[in-house]
Structure formats: C-alpha cells, structure tokens
Amino acid sequence: MKKSIIALMACAMLCGSAQYVDAQIGKNLVNKAKQAGQNAAKEVKQETSPDALKDAAKGAGEDAIKKKWWDETAKLFENVDSTSSILDRCRAFHYAHKKYSEATNNGANDLDFLLVYTERVVMSYILVKDIKRDDFLNSQKGLSWENPYDKLTRAACDDVDSEIFHGGKFPVEVINLANGQENTLNQPWQNVSVYIKETLDKADKCKTNEAKLVCLYRAVYYREKYTVESPNVFPTDENVCTERIKKGIAALPADLLAENPIPEVRTASELFQARLAVVENQKYSPVVPSSRDAEVEAKIKSGVLAINPNAKIKMVAFASDATAEWYIEKNALDVPLNRSKVGFIVVEYPEKPGLNLAYNLRVYQTYQGGGKYNKTSVNVSPSFLINKEILFNINWYGVDMKF
C-alpha cells in the first residue's frame, strides 16, 4: 500500500460545518493523493461487492480472512469518498479509529501516523457523520451473522453506531486533530515563534520523511501567516528559526520535495518588508469626531511623549463626553461600575517617514452614584512603546491622513 501524504490539509468540521482550518496547506498534496489513488479506489470498490467478498472468504482460515479484510480496509481508509458505499465508509472510519487509538494509546503519540494521515482520519469522520440512521441500518441487512468476513464488517458498523449515533469521544478527538492540536500545547495564533520551535521539535521526533515534511510545511506556512498577515511576533531569524527550517528542508529527499513543494522560506528581513507592504496598502481612514475632548487628547499625547520622546504624533482624537458612544460596565445588581469610550492616536512609523499608523485607545470614568461619573482617568502604560516592532502588533493599522 503506497503511503499518501495528505495530512497537511487539516480539514475541520465543527458542529457540522465544513470549515478548513489549514485550507492552503497541502492543497496540491491532496490533489496528487487523489489522482494517485483513483485506480486503487476503483479496485477496492469492485473488490468489496458483497458477493465477491463472501465467495473469497469461503474455505479460508479465520486468520486469512481477517488479514484480507484488514488489508482491504486499509485501502478503503486511504481512498473512500462521498461516492463510496455506506459499508465501505464505516470500515474506513473503523480503521481510522483503531489506528488513531493505537497512535495515542498510553501516551504513545505516533507522530508519523497523526501527521501524515490527519486528513484521512478527519475525512473518515466527515463521510459517516451525516449518514441517516435508517440508511445506516438498512446497509447492514445483507450481512450474514455467520460469515466471518461479514462479522468484521458488522464490528465496524457497531463502532460507527457507538461513536456517531451514541455520542462517542472519538469525534471530539478528530475535531482537535483537524485543528492541528495533536500533541501541541501552543497554537500559531497565540505565539508563532513558540509554535515553530515546537513543530520543529516534533519533526525531529518523526521517523518518516513524510511526517517531517508535514511539520516543516506547517512551520513555513504559519511563520508567514502570523508575521505578515496577522502578526503576533516581531520576526528575527532566530525566533522564526530560518536556518533550522532551511536545514530541515535540505535534508528531505529531492523527489519528495518535487512532488510536495514547500513555500519559500523568507528571511526575517524579507518578512519585515512583506509586512511593511501589507500595512502600506491598508490606508484606513478613522472617523474624527466633530466634537472632541481636548483635555483627554492632551493628556494622552503628553503621556505618550513622556515614554517616547522622539515619537511623531500626528493626531489624538476622542469624542467629547456629550457626544461619545459610551460602554457601561455593571455589576450583578445592574449598578454601573464605570463607563468607557474609545478614541485613537496616529503616529508616524519610525522606520518609514510618511507611513502613519493608528492605535485605538480606551479611557474610563468610574461611577460616583446618583447617575454621575468621575473625571476621565488617563493612564498611558509604560509598555506603550513606539518603535519598529509596532508594525508586528495587529492592533496598529495603517491609515490615510486625508481625513
């Protein structure tokens, strides 16, 4: 059985919706795997017609029948799709459940299986989760209670019955697997630097080049996504592991990389320029209130300059108390605790003259009682630094000063 690399598309189906978490990852691999498996899939579907299987089982020993059934089921696991019979889909799901349990039993964490076959495990669930129960029961009517081959198929159906129709735990584990959470404590959207290092550590533990490829692909894809598109770290070649990734890719067989190309590994400097281009193209235009709170604006400007003496502040804008849109926080007894309003500050990016970035700020007024509030409290945090790293803070956004 030829092993297909199809785990890179971690397809998620949360609460019945078909949402692809890593839709871009491995799209080419999935297509290639489907092409490679088309003939095998047709072979399996023809071979698994009920009459052919029963005839093949006649006169064979129980061990031989079991081996034949599992060999065919392994092929089904790799090739079933929405056109496959209900019984074939049930067998594929049963195989996925068994292999996943073996891969995670007692902390075994067989990373090679979990990584390389993520998509097939998830797909096996998708292909049975919407089967109607009546159709599921009717599909088993042709199965013999005595035939040893049919007994194995019935066991696969019992597994589907338990996990899908009676609230088993495996579907929850599949959803976690689809979201890339197999043995991963940190997610890329939390801190991509930590994620990359953990993913590369995972690659070092893999036994197969296919599984290592999956790890390296994920590391490259997410380092780009969470530094350029939705940044959560300022990239340096050290914290996004440029050389380590390149070294890992160079160690993979050339034919594997030719069939499954990994995106370009850009340096930290190149990632910086790519992020800069994204922000330069944003050019949002914040709404400047017609009636403004000059006192609050002056305090914020003063506080920011105290921390960042060289900052070029272009504007601070807050609506007056009378015209502001207030958010009121209340306690359990519906008594106000405080109210807040949002304004913004615009500064020139220190690394690029003429590029202006904005940041939304919130100020508060505590509740006095009797429908009255105290004066606005303005506290600029010492961590509010205006430096080159703000380009990689998603809360800062590029603005057009033509407002």
Side-chain angles (χ1 to χ4, degrees):
M1 178 179 63
K2 183 179 179 182
K3 183 179 289 188
S4 301
I5 309 172
I6 45 186
L8 293 177
M9 176 198 285
C11 49
M13 50 311 124
L14 302 173
C15 303
S17 66
Q19 175 185 355
Y20 286 89
V21 179
D22 295 345
Q24 297 301 318
I25 302 183
K27 185 176 180 181
N28 60 316
L29 305 185
V30 176
N31 291 336
K32 183 174 287 292
K34 287 182 178 178
Q35 291 172 4
Q38 281 179 352
N39 293 334
K42 291 177 181 177
E43 226 176 88
V44 174
K45 289 178 187 178
Q46 291 171 357
E47 193 177 1
T48 53
S49 62
D51 292 338
L53 296 179
K54 291 177 184 178
D55 290 342
K58 289 178 181 177
E62 186 174 339
D63 289 343
I65 293 171
K66 186 174 183 179
K67 182 178 185 307
K68 177 180 176 61
W69 189 90
W70 275 109
D71 286 347
E72 291 167 348
T73 301
K75 291 181 181 178
L76 288 170
F77 168 69
E78 289 209 355
N79 295 297
V80 290
D81 56 30
S82 59
T83 67
S84 302
S85 70
I86 289 177
L87 291 181
D88 283 356
R89 283 184 272 168
C90 289
R91 289 174 64 180
F93 176 85
H94 180 54
Y95 182 90
H97 190 188
K98 178 178 183 295
K99 295 296 290 185
Y100 178 87
S101 297
E102 290 175 354
T104 57
N105 186 40
N106 295 323
N109 292 320
D110 181 352
L111 293 177
D112 293 79
F113 177 82
L114 294 176
L115 290 166
V116 175
Y117 288 105
T118 294
E119 190 269 345
R120 291 315 302 176
V121 172
V122 175
M123 186 58 67
S124 73
Y125 168 71
I126 291 174
L127 291 173
V128 297
K129 75 182 184 69
D130 289 330
I131 295 175
K132 294 180 180 178
R133 185 158 178 76
D134 287 346
D135 294 337
F136 170 72
L137 296 174
N138 288 333
S139 71
Q140 301 172 59
K141 288 183 177 179
L143 297 176
S144 166
W145 288 98
E146 292 79 23
N147 185 288
Y149 197 100
D150 283 359
K151 285 183 179 180
L152 291 168
T153 303
R154 283 190 176 278
C157 292
D158 289 344
D159 191 20
V160 172
D161 190 32
S162 174
E163 294 295 330
I164 302 300
F165 296 107
H166 291 90
K169 296 180 180 179
F170 184 49
V172 177
E173 294 173 332
V174 171
I175 290 172
N176 290 337
L177 186 66
N179 283 285
Q181 295 174 5
E182 78 298 330
N183 198 33
T184 298
L185 298 178
N186 292 281
Q187 295 300 304
W189 54 86
Q190 295 171 329
N191 185 308
V192 73
S193 179
V194 173
Y195 173 84
I196 291 170
K197 290 172 184 175
E198 289 186 345
T199 301
L200 295 178
D201 288 344
K202 189 182 295 183
D204 291 340
K205 297 175 183 177
C206 293
K207 302 179 183 68
T208 64
N209 287 320
E210 290 86 353
K212 292 177 181 179
L213 175 93
V214 174
C215 292
L216 289 163
Y217 199 117
R218 288 181 177 177
V220 175
Y221 175 82
Y222 283 118
R223 82 197 284 269
E224 184 91 12
K225 181 176 178 65
Y226 290 105
T227 56
V228 176
E229 298 176 32
S230 304
N232 56 41
V233 299
F234 179 83
T236 65
D237 284 318
E238 182 179 356
N239 71 12
V240 294
C241 303
T242 303
E243 293 306 315
R244 187 178 175 188
I245 292 173
K246 287 183 176 180
K247 184 178 179 180
I249 294 173
L252 294 176
D255 58 342
L256 182 66
L257 290 171
E259 291 181 358
N260 309 289
I262 293 178
E264 177 189 359
V265 183
R266 298 205 268 191
T267 65
S269 176
E270 290 169 331
L271 292 173
F272 181 91
Q273 294 301 320
R275 175 59 186 165
L276 185 62
V278 168
V279 175
E280 286 180 312
N281 289 325
Q282 287 177 334
K283 297 182 179 178
Y284 297 119
S285 296
V287 178
V288 180
S290 55
S291 176
R292 294 164 60 180
D293 191 330
E295 183 178 353
V296 165
E297 293 175 0
K299 287 182 179 179
I300 288 177
K301 184 175 182 178
S302 175
V304 170
L305 287 174
I307 301 167
N308 308 272
N310 298 320
K312 295 182 179 179
I313 299 176
K314 297 295 188 71
M315 174 181 287
V316 179
F318 274 82
S320 64
D321 287 359
T323 61
E325 181 178 350
W326 291 98
Y327 170 79
I328 300 176
E329 183 181 0
K330 298 180 179 181
N331 62 18
L333 300 176
D334 204 36
V335 176
L337 298 174
N338 59 60
R339 67 177 185 176
S340 61
K341 61 181 179 179
V342 175
F344 63 88
I345 182 173
V346 177
V347 303
E348 183 177 87
Y349 183 52
E351 298 294 310
K352 181 79 172 183
L355 175 60
N356 299 305
L357 304 181
Y359 188 99
N360 293 336
L361 297 166
R362 185 180 294 273
V363 293
Y364 293 83
Q365 293 180 350
T366 57
Y367 187 61
Q368 283 185 358
K372 296 181 180 180
Y373 290 84
N374 292 317
K375 290 190 65 174
T376 304
S377 174
V378 177
N379 295 305
V380 179
S381 170
S383 63
F384 195 81
L385 300 176
I386 297 173
N387 53 29
K388 64 186 302 182
E389 296 188 14
I390 66 173
L391 192 69
F392 293 84
N393 182 331
I394 197 65
N395 294 311
W396 285 93
Y397 53 95
V399 295
D400 188 340
M401 289 296 291
K402 298 176 182 177
F403 50 78

